[in-house]
Amino acid sequence: MDDINVLHHRCLLNLRRRVRDIGDGRPAQERYMRLQKDGDTLSYQGNSEEVGCYVAGRPLSKGNCYFEVTIVDTGVRGTIAVGLVPKFYRLDHQPGWLPYSVAYHADNGKLYNGNPVGQQFGPKCARGDRIGCGIHSENIEAGITTVFFTKNGKEVGSVEVPVSAEGLFPAVGMHSMGEEVKVDLQAEWFLEEDDSMMMVDSHEDDWGRLYDVRVSGTLLEYVGKGKSIMDVGLAQARQPLTTRCHYYEVEIVDAGEKCYIALGLARRDYPKNRHPGWSRGSVAYHADDGKIFHGSGVGDAFGPRCFKGDIMGCGIMFPRDYILDGEGDTDDWDRLDIRPGHASVQNVLYLNDDEEEEEDGEEAGEQEQEGRKVTVFFTRNGKLMGRREMVIPPGGLYPTVGMLSSGEKVKVDLHPLSG
């Protein structure tokens, strides 16, 4: 009977092991709910009222101490969380909400450390951004470790958290329709790359708004779907054009599938899913058809089409007595350092200056009521394409670049007229 009992016990162990390993066709111990998993891609399958969560099958360790999640689609709300949780974490809660879990949330940039109330931690994340999470493993055996988070390879911050005997498992949470991410559990991150990563990412601070556009140094890359006119990728500079910095340029590095690239100026609260020029308070030169769009979805013939290698420019001819809040004397105009390669642009700044001054005098009363009028001009490869008069909205006009087809890349110089 003893032999039979031993045999029976072994059979039960083997059966349990097979059930654990086979499960629902997933890797051993990998768990997820209200999510669809296709290779390394996770997509939300709930009703936006219930959390979906994924927990990896193996914890982070000294040999594998970092992972990354790339946001493919932010869906309705962008409520995507990336972090670490205990092995048997509840799959109906976002990572970071329950004790012994920690997570960086993309929609608000907050850190949740075992609490449903988050603390401000880092920048928000959008489509195309990579959120990384790792551990400094030197003290993990002491029951506590330092968890750090990154955005696009640059460290955002860190926090000390307790570690259970089973370790901390990579986790991803989602909470609204359309959310989709790619998970790389074998990602690597090296401290020695910090300097170069900081150099590459430093230009991200130049941009106040980024939607479906990835920044890498001075390069902007479209990362949207590009399937409809609602999939516009928008990059808007943090600062408006001023009398000190009145011109910027965009070089087309890759025209992508359709070259739906537009550069122009727009008000600060410009809609994120509209090409510059399509809506009120904006004007833009569109590369694909050479048309100018000025607050309308219907463009006017303006200049030649633009292709890979072309440099498109946009600037403002301010009246000589124009002063924006916080600016100094208008004498700064005379001290601008113009590069020789942009001689044609330099000449544009004072074209028909006497006529402009006369018009300013005639329309002074009207401008005081509706805002100062300025002349926006556009260039192609250093040559003037044309001008369009418009009113400066409250807050000024901001350099704005739009893209709408796969593969589009542009290099932006927000200060080409400085030395």
Side-chain angles (χ1 to χ4, degrees):
M1 291 295 292
D2 290 341
D3 292 339
I4 294 177
N5 288 335
V6 170
L7 181 60
H8 180 65
H9 180 67
R10 288 179 177 174
C11 289
L12 286 176
L13 289 177
N14 288 334
L15 179 60
R16 289 174 181 171
R17 187 177 297 111
R18 290 180 62 188
V19 170
R20 182 194 67 191
D21 293 342
I22 296 174
D24 296 326
R26 311 169 188 168
Q29 301 179 13
E30 185 181 47
R31 300 185 304 127
Y32 51 90
M33 183 169 69
R34 299 190 186 96
L35 302 177
Q36 178 179 322
K37 188 172 187 293
D38 183 9
D40 58 359
T41 301
L42 298 173
S43 55
Y44 181 74
Q45 299 296 307
N47 58 12
S48 293
E49 295 180 359
E50 301 171 312
V51 171
C53 186
Y54 164 86
V55 179
R58 293 180 178 84
L60 293 188
S61 62
K62 290 183 178 181
N64 182 24
C65 60
Y66 179 75
F67 76 103
E68 280 188 341
V69 172
T70 300
I71 300 176
V72 177
D73 198 324
T74 55
V76 177
R77 297 195 300 265
T79 46
I80 298 168
V82 177
L84 299 171
V85 301
K87 182 177 182 178
F88 296 107
Y89 191 78
R90 290 182 57 177
L91 300 181
D92 57 353
H93 283 65
Q94 283 275 30
W97 283 2
L98 297 180
Y100 305 104
S101 70
V102 62
Y104 180 22
H105 286 224
D107 60 317
N108 56 17
K110 291 185 177 181
L111 179 75
Y112 291 76
N113 187 6
N115 194 313
V117 178
Q119 297 180 334
Q120 200 56 51
F121 183 67
K124 298 178 182 179
C125 301
R127 180 185 295 175
D129 285 333
R130 292 179 291 113
I131 303 176
C133 178
I135 58 173
H136 295 307
S137 57
E138 59 270 9
N139 58 350
I140 192 170
E141 295 177 356
I144 191 170
T145 189
T146 300
V147 176
F148 66 92
F149 292 91
T150 67
K151 179 188 176 188
N152 299 328
K154 180 179 179 181
E155 185 169 354
V156 175
S158 61
V159 62
E160 285 193 347
V161 299
V163 182
S164 66
E166 294 173 330
L168 291 170
F169 292 71
V172 180
M174 290 186 262
H175 202 181
S176 76
M177 295 296 295
E179 292 172 351
E180 185 174 306
V181 302
K182 284 189 176 181
V183 182
D184 183 0
L185 296 176
Q186 307 299 320
E188 296 183 351
W189 184 78
F190 300 101
L191 285 173
E192 58 264 31
E193 292 183 358
D194 271 2
D195 291 339
S196 61
M197 290 306 300
M198 288 179 68
M199 178 179 66
V200 169
D201 288 338
S202 62
H203 290 274
E204 187 169 341
D205 293 337
D206 292 337
W207 301 96
R209 302 168 67 207
L210 292 167
Y211 298 100
D212 290 346
V213 172
R214 177 187 296 144
V215 179
S216 179
T218 59
L219 189 74
L220 299 182
E221 178 182 1
Y222 177 66
V223 293
K225 293 181 177 179
K227 296 180 180 179
S228 75
I229 62 172
M230 298 301 292
D231 295 329
V232 169
L234 194 77
Q236 188 174 67
R238 187 175 298 277
Q239 301 294 333
L241 291 189
T242 66
T243 57
R244 287 196 179 105
C245 181
H246 60 274
Y247 177 76
Y248 79 104
E249 287 183 335
V250 167
E251 177 184 352
I252 301 176
V253 176
D254 194 327
E257 292 183 356
K258 303 290 185 179
C259 198
Y260 290 154
I261 297 169
L263 97 158
L265 301 171
R267 66 182 193 267
R268 182 165 46 191
D269 58 347
Y270 193 76
K272 67 179 182 180
N273 60 344
R274 300 283 289 173
H275 248 325
W278 284 357
S279 294
R280 177 182 57 84
S282 71
V283 62
Y285 179 19
H286 287 225
D288 62 308
D289 54 14
K291 291 184 177 181
I292 188 172
F293 291 75
H294 186 187
S296 171
V298 179
D300 298 324
F302 186 69
R305 297 170 60 191
C306 300
F307 304 93
K308 180 178 179 180
D310 284 333
I311 298 176
M312 305 169 69
C314 178
I316 297 179
M317 289 184 282
F318 290 98
R320 283 187 178 274
D321 62 345
Y322 191 94
I323 300 178
L324 286 176
D325 291 340
E327 285 199 279
D329 299 331
T330 53
D331 291 343
D332 288 335
W333 279 79
D334 301 325
R335 293 196 293 267
L336 286 174
D337 182 11
I338 309 294
R339 293 189 306 187
H342 294 281
S344 57
V345 175
Q346 180 185 14
N347 295 336
V348 166
L349 300 180
Y350 293 106
L351 284 178
N352 300 324
D353 194 51
D354 293 337
E355 295 179 9
E356 289 175 13
E357 289 181 355
E358 293 176 4
E359 292 174 0
D360 288 343
E362 296 172 359
E363 300 177 359
E366 178 183 355
Q367 290 175 352
E368 287 177 0
Q369 297 296 322
E370 64 180 16
R372 295 297 302 270
K373 286 185 178 179
V374 297
T375 299
V376 177
F377 66 92
F378 293 91
T379 66
R380 178 177 178 269
N381 298 328
K383 296 181 179 180
L384 176 66
M385 292 294 102
R387 297 173 289 175
R388 184 63 59 96
E389 189 178 75
M390 69 181 299
V391 174
I392 293 275
L397 286 168
Y398 292 73
T400 305
V401 179
M403 293 184 276
L404 188 54
S405 76
S406 177
E408 292 171 349
K409 298 178 183 178
V410 299
K411 186 179 293 184
V412 182
D413 187 350
L414 292 173
H415 310 284
L417 300 185
S418 60

